Amino acid sequence: MNSSRSKAGQSGAGHPNSAVTGLILAGGQGRRMGGVDKGLQMFRGQRLVDHVYARLAPQVGGIIINANQNYDAYKSFGVRVVSDAIGNFAGPLAGLHAGLSVSRRPFIASVPCDSPFLPEDLVERLMARLVASDADVAVAKTGNWLQPVFCLARRSVLEHLANFLKGGGRKVDAWYASLGIVEVNFDDCAEAFGNINTREELATFEGETIAPAVQFEYAAPVAAAHASAAVDNISPASGSPTMHITSGDALARAVSRDALAQVVSCMDDYDPNALKVEKAREAIRAFLSPVANNEKVAVRAALGRVLGEDIISTLDVPAHDNSAMDGYALRHADLKATGETELRLAGSAFAGRHFAGKMGKRECVRIMTGAVMPRGADTVVIQEIVQVEGDKIRIPAGQKKGQNRRLAGEDLSAGKPVLKAGQPVGPAELGLIASLGLAEVAVRRRLRVAFFSTGDELASVGSALKKGEVYDSNRYTLYGMLSRLGCDIIDMGVVRDDPASLENALKSAAADADVIITSGGVSVGEADFIRELLSKLGEVVFWKIAMKPGRPMAFGRIAHAGNEAHFFGLPGNPVAVMVTFYQFVRDALLALSGRTDNFALPLLRVPCTSSIKKSPGRTEFQRGLLTRDAGGQWSVCPTGAQGSGVLRSMAEANCFIVLEHERASVAPGETVQVQLFDGLT
Ligand code: AMP
Ligand code: MG
């Protein structure tokens, strides 16, 4: 795999082969995995198809995905997703046929969606042999085994394939036999064709503590996929959204930022060895510069993303005055000031079918909710209070002019901004965007966040614990917290406490990611060599924050291979990781991802039912349980053991009890501040 990687570097992300469409075959039923959609299974922090996409994208001019279910999930790349034209899950040839039918490039390279390690020079090597032997299809081979779905075919085989399928053929080998192919030897990287067919295989690969060399190889292409997000420019009728990615914001950031040392030196009351929580937040905030580049996505795919541009209404919504209730539309001036008024029924108006006639004097129109108000009508009287006798409608007194009428443009009015760049897109925003008839929307690109755990004592899940080892849980809490924030995550596994491994890991992450998060290794005693390393790679400050838990933390930025990344070195203790993440990293990531709304976590004030010991001089984040008593009164009490290693205290809690810096012990019944976990995205 290493040799294939270095070769791929030459033909990599910068020079996609524009003659080749990459086809990811994700149209199977995943039978051996229990009938799940294989491409969407999570593996090392990402879906299998994300890994495959990342490896294939730099090798080709554009990508098509063949899928027969979950189209929206596969469309998340902004590429064309095609389903089989024949049969019912008829196998890889049906997928190849579907891809060939829409691809416009002269060659197509197919790979299965469950091969996360596929060679990075696959296309290059297949192409060399295909051209040299003037064959129609080149197929990879390892040992005596053909890897039949790793193939490169000329577009011209489409007709042959269509006839083969029409004749009932379904087997790849049989088709190859009828065609004549060239086999291409990949014995030097046979393991790169390893695919994941069962849950057990998924778990086995997942559980491995990845040695640095492999780890980086796996981590690196994730960003490449996005940077090179080449989109196949297929048929003009294609409705699939394209990604518009511009580069260079890292550079812009580098130019526009002050040095960290300068930022902190301008702060009053800055003491790195006893830094107040608020001061640490201030320093971080001052040092961030958000991503600026946008990509276009289909409206649904914008959920949870950050708007990249203001959205200006092109329409009045609603387009016409309409009724808010079922009832009778009338002219208010026709109603008597006192007593009942009798009006003649002139017709009906339904939602989507307006009243086309004329509503004369002392007439009314039966109207349904959402129906356009008849010309001349200004008021709607609900049906429950009128008396109907044939076409005579009796309206009681006391109706207000304009009641139950929705005005045109009441929701949105043409030319006015509806949503602002920097706003998060939630369900309401999705609906608003759709109500303007927009099919696509510009959103900020996702933040790329790389993370790894450090420590010689860490074992990975799935392996037996040796004496002195603990399972690496931080990578899982970080995975959860980062996923909920909508980041593109690069899980780099465990890195041992040795300078060479750490340096490699940090460089690899800095080259790819916007943000790097590590856990462990920043406490006194360990900090020295990592401090030296980080100062070599960039600018990082080490803090002892006046807080509990989570005292040591490192923050800054490091650079490698022309890219810069913000760096957060979190403590190793599992609760400290979560607390520092929520108190510092969360806000930083939201700001970096382009959010401009007020995303600070709300603090609620409730009575605390028990006493809490505390001395002034640090902010404490106790884990608490907020509950409501029978009388409807809310109160909080701390949950069990509060040690910074006791992750159970987080799982048992539903909020942080935030005890301010100056505060001393809390007596039962005193008011405290709490921060709810719910909504902690
Ligand atoms: P450190 O900050 O590296 O000194 O680690 C502090 C404590 O947290 C030690 O007890 C570590 O074993 C523990 N720890 C560090 N990293 C992890 C991790 N990824 N998962 C679980 N515990 C960890
Ligand atoms: Mg450690």
Side-chain angles (χ1 to χ4, degrees):
M1 264 168 46
N2 284 332
S3 66
S4 80
R5 175 166 169 70
S6 58
K7 273 187 216 144
Q10 293 145 28
S11 67
H15 311 280
N17 189 338
S18 61
V20 185
T21 293
L23 173 66
I24 300 176
L25 297 169
Q29 281 176 300
R31 273 203 217 97
R32 289 209 278 153
M33 216 173 257
V36 298
D37 197 340
K38 230 185 339 180
L40 304 181
Q41 299 313 298
M42 294 306 288
F43 174 62
R44 296 184 185 167
Q46 295 183 79
R47 303 170 307 177
L48 275 173
V49 68
D50 293 315
H51 293 274
V52 174
Y53 187 97
R55 293 237 156 184
L56 187 60
Q59 305 188 42
V60 293
I63 291 221
I64 296 175
I65 298 176
N66 165 235
N68 291 311
Q69 51 189 331
N70 302 317
Y71 302 104
D72 279 349
Y74 287 109
K75 278 186 179 153
S76 63
F77 297 104
V79 303
R80 180 111 185 228
V81 178
V82 291
S83 55
D84 295 354
I86 57 147
N88 184 15
F89 294 93
L93 280 185
L96 182 61
H97 174 257
L100 274 169
S101 307
V102 296
S103 169
R104 288 263 209 74
R105 298 174 200 270
F107 301 93
I108 195 160
S110 78
V111 297
C113 67
D114 60 354
S115 54
F117 315 110
L118 70 94
E120 295 182 6
D121 53 4
L122 176 75
V123 176
E124 190 188 0
R125 289 166 71 174
L126 291 173
M127 180 65 87
R129 289 295 309 283
L130 186 85
V131 171
S133 57
D134 202 25
D136 285 317
V137 179
V139 184
K141 187 177 187 181
T142 53
N144 292 324
W145 297 95
L146 211 54
Q147 301 286 352
V149 282
F150 294 83
C151 78
L152 177 73
R154 292 185 195 271
R155 216 184 99 74
S156 52
V157 300
L158 174 59
E159 200 187 341
H160 186 277
L161 177 58
N163 286 332
F164 178 82
L165 290 166
K166 222 179 270 167
R170 294 291 181 267
K171 290 232 152 68
V172 187
D173 299 6
W175 182 55
Y176 286 159
S178 73
L179 188 72
I181 59 163
V182 57
E183 297 174 355
V184 186
N185 188 297
F186 280 85
D187 279 351
D188 58 318
C189 58
E191 73 277 30
F193 293 85
N195 58 5
I196 297 182
N197 287 303
T198 61
R199 295 232 145 265
E200 291 68 45
E201 285 170 2
L202 200 61
T204 309
F205 278 109
E206 179 78 45
E208 273 179 18
T209 297
I210 318 145
V214 179
Q215 217 164 312
F216 307 146
E217 205 176 316
Y218 141 68
V222 175
H226 297 281
S228 69
V231 174
D232 207 60
N233 185 14
I234 350 164
S235 74
S238 153
S240 65
T242 41
M243 271 180 161
H244 305 285
I245 295 193
T246 50
S247 61
D249 68 331
L251 202 65
R253 257 187 267 160
V255 176
S256 68
R257 270 201 310 229
D258 285 339
L260 182 55
Q262 211 173 321
V263 169
V264 293
S265 71
C266 297
M267 283 170 53
D268 297 333
D269 209 10
Y270 174 78
D271 176 0
N273 291 316
L275 193 63
K276 285 189 179 168
V277 167
E278 216 17 78
K279 286 282 151 195
R281 286 202 184 111
E282 199 184 308
I284 293 170
R285 219 168 21 232
F287 195 61
L288 301 174
S289 32
V291 303
N293 15 28
N294 288 345
E295 61 196 39
K296 279 244 159 137
V297 297
V299 175
R300 283 197 183 96
L303 184 64
R305 304 288 295 271
V306 180
L307 267 188
E309 291 168 1
D310 290 356
I311 295 199
I312 311 288
S313 182
T314 50
L315 303 172
D316 279 338
V317 177
H320 306 278
D321 288 7
N322 68 78
S323 177
M325 301 293 276
D326 291 349
Y328 293 84
L330 47 83
R331 209 178 270 109
H332 191 262
D334 285 344
L335 300 180
K336 291 182 196 148
T338 53
E340 273 181 2
T341 308
E342 189 175 287
L343 300 176
R344 199 187 75 81
L345 185 63
S348 307
F350 298 93
R353 199 144 35 94
H354 69 281
F355 169 70
K358 193 166 175 291
M359 196 182 83
K361 252 191 151 335
R362 278 189 290 285
E363 285 187 337
C364 64
V365 166
R366 171 113 174 90
I367 194 162
M368 298 301 165
T369 307
V372 174
M373 292 288 282
R375 184 131 29 111
D378 55 18
T379 300
V380 173
V381 177
I382 58 171
Q383 59 191 12
E384 290 79 0
I385 60 168
V386 307
Q387 283 179 40
V388 182
E389 251 169 57
D391 68 350
K392 302 267 182 297
I393 310 295
R394 279 213 292 281
I395 313 282
Q399 310 305 322
K400 280 207 197 85
K401 185 172 177 182
Q403 72 186 18
N404 302 324
R405 176 185 55 162
R406 300 179 189 139
L407 295 174
E410 174 179 290
D411 197 353
L412 310 172
S413 60
K416 296 247 172 71
V418 179
L419 297 168
K420 294 294 233 180
Q423 256 182 275
V425 181
E429 287 75 16
L430 279 190
L432 265 182
I433 294 165
S435 71
L436 294 174
L438 299 175
E440 288 186 350
V441 57
V443 292
R444 297 281 188 235
R445 72 161 171 79
R446 289 185 197 276
L447 269 193
R448 291 191 296 268
V449 182
F451 62 103
F452 58 85
S453 298
T454 69
D456 287 335
E457 77 282 28
L458 299 180
S460 287
V461 298
S463 63
L465 271 191
K466 297 199 194 74
K467 192 161 182 210
E469 286 187 340
V470 291
Y471 285 118
D472 171 15
S473 57
N474 290 344
R475 224 152 36 85
Y476 289 79
T477 40
L478 280 170
Y479 163 80
M481 295 186 291
L482 288 167
S483 299
R484 295 218 317 205
L485 281 172
C487 302
D488 263 352
I489 56 180
I490 306 171
D491 180 346
M492 297 180 64
V494 173
V495 175
R496 298 295 165 208
D497 280 329
D498 87 87
S501 305
L502 274 168
E503 180 166 355
N504 279 340
L506 287 168
K507 280 183 176 166
S508 165
D512 274 347
D514 298 306
V515 178
I516 304 166
I517 302 174
T518 63
S519 73
V522 289
S523 47
V524 188
E526 288 189 296
D528 285 352
F529 92 80
I530 207 169
R531 188 186 296 249
E532 204 175 299
L533 184 56
L534 286 164
S535 69
K536 201 167 90 182
L537 298 173
E539 202 189 1
V540 174
V541 288
F542 280 75
W543 291 329
K544 287 198 193 95
I545 304 179
M547 69 188 286
K548 190 184 166 193
R551 230 160 98 77
M553 192 175 116
F555 169 69
R557 67 180 171 208
I558 59 176
H560 187 64
N563 189 51
E564 260 198 336
H566 290 278
F567 175 82
F568 290 89
L570 306 186
N573 274 312
V575 181
V577 167
M578 295 195 77
V579 172
T580 48
F581 185 95
Y582 283 137
Q583 300 307 323
F584 303 110
V585 185
R586 171 195 176 269
D587 286 14
L589 295 181
L590 291 177
L592 284 172
S593 67
R595 288 271 296 265
T596 52
D597 60 320
N598 180 8
F599 47 74
L601 292 170
L603 283 166
L604 313 177
R605 296 171 65 81
V606 289
C608 183
T609 53
S610 60
S611 60
I612 304 176
K613 268 186 95 163
K614 178 184 181 292
S615 6
R618 67 178 180 218
T619 308
E620 289 198 14
F621 297 90
Q622 298 243 339
R623 277 71 70 206
L625 193 62
L626 186 69
T627 50
R628 197 170 66 159
D629 67 19
Q633 187 64 47
W634 289 92
S635 63
V636 71
C637 75
T639 58
Q642 294 281 331
S644 64
V646 185
L647 199 51
R648 192 163 45 86
S649 67
M650 284 294 296
E652 284 170 354
N654 62 6
C655 65
F656 285 125
I657 302 172
V658 184
L659 303 174
E660 308 87 324
H661 188 87
E662 305 301 350
R663 184 162 193 156
S665 292
V666 176
E670 267 183 43
T671 300
V672 291
Q673 303 194 97
V674 301
Q675 224 168 34
L676 283 178
F677 290 169
D678 219 35
L680 263 186
T681 54

